[in-house]
Amino acid sequence: PKVSFPCRKAAGGVAELHTQGGKETTSRQVAGVVYGSNLASQLFDFHVDHAEPRFSCKGLATGPQWTSRTMSLTLFINNRLVDCTPLKRAVEAVFAPVMPKHQHPWVYLALDLDPASVDVNVHPTKMEVQFLHEEAIAQCIQEAISEKLKDRAGVRTFDSQSTLLANNQRKIVLKPSAAQPENFGAAGG
């Protein structure tokens, strides 16, 4: 988020997208520019620092208010954009109990690991990676996200707008019924 960048079409002279950049720019602000303010308003922060295995992780994720038909995980390991299928599955498993069926979250993870523990030779493009202690790290990230989801999963709100009165906006709040127990456990539940 600290680096500003413009994006424009190949023949276009005007930037279609431009991030602010700078010391005060946050990942949430950049997500708002790139993915839209609707998504940015639904994001929550999470952070993990762990001694053994040693790693740190910060991230953003949507709660049950915002869903998509496909899982969107933007993963940076040591400031490099990568894919990690086991970590993606672990993150998605945390959201499964609180998301509607066939709906998925948007998640951004910035993971800092010992570079010697990361194997980039999994795929010829170097995009898919594996790393030591993958399961333990995934579990710690699951626990951090799960804790944050507990605060957000009990109530879903939907904005609706009247087609006749453009300025008349109502908020509908749905609470889970007693027949639908909330399950916020870690993956595998």
Side-chain angles (χ1 to χ4, degrees):
K2 307 301 180 213
V3 177
S4 172
F5 69 88
C7 289
R8 62 180 131 251
K9 293 181 181 174
V14 178
E16 301 283 326
L17 175 89
H18 189 258
T19 64
Q20 181 179 348
K23 290 182 181 180
E24 301 300 317
T25 304
T26 65
S27 297
R28 181 187 305 269
Q29 290 169 326
V30 173
V33 170
V34 175
Y35 295 100
S37 61
N38 185 31
L39 178 126
S41 69
Q42 299 298 323
L43 294 173
F44 63 86
D45 298 295
F46 59 93
H47 185 80
V48 180
D49 278 315
H50 204 267
E52 192 57 43
R54 187 181 173 113
F55 76 95
S56 69
C57 173
K58 62 181 178 179
L60 298 168
T62 54
Q65 300 284 53
W66 190 95
T67 63
S68 173
R69 290 184 180 172
T70 59
M71 171 69 174
S72 179
L73 173 64
T74 303
L75 173 63
F76 284 86
I77 295 181
N78 298 339
N79 298 315
R80 180 178 174 182
L81 181 64
V82 295
D83 286 328
C84 179
T85 303
L87 188 56
K88 183 176 181 177
R89 283 191 200 120
V91 168
E92 187 151 32
V94 173
F95 286 90
V98 297
M99 297 296 248
K101 192 171 186 145
H102 305 296
Q103 294 296 302
H104 308 276
W106 182 94
V107 180
Y108 161 79
L109 284 175
L111 188 58
D112 289 317
L113 300 169
D114 175 9
S117 70
V118 181
D119 181 5
V120 296
N121 294 316
V122 176
H123 192 272
T125 64
K126 310 280 192 224
M127 190 70 179
E128 180 77 24
V129 299
Q130 293 177 342
F131 48 91
L132 292 176
H133 312 292
E134 214 167 67
E135 288 181 23
I137 291 170
Q139 184 176 358
C140 291
I141 293 169
Q142 285 178 318
E143 290 168 2
I145 294 172
S146 181
E147 281 299 312
K148 293 289 188 162
L149 279 175
K150 285 180 185 179
D151 298 334
R152 290 164 177 75
V155 175
R156 291 195 61 183
T157 61
F158 302 90
D159 289 331
S160 67
Q161 221 170 13
S162 172
T163 54
L164 298 176
L165 302 172
N167 292 333
N168 182 17
Q169 205 172 28
R170 303 177 310 198
K171 193 162 265 205
I172 302 168
V173 178
L174 298 178
K175 295 183 181 178
S177 68
Q180 297 174 327
E182 297 174 312
N183 180 4
F184 300 111

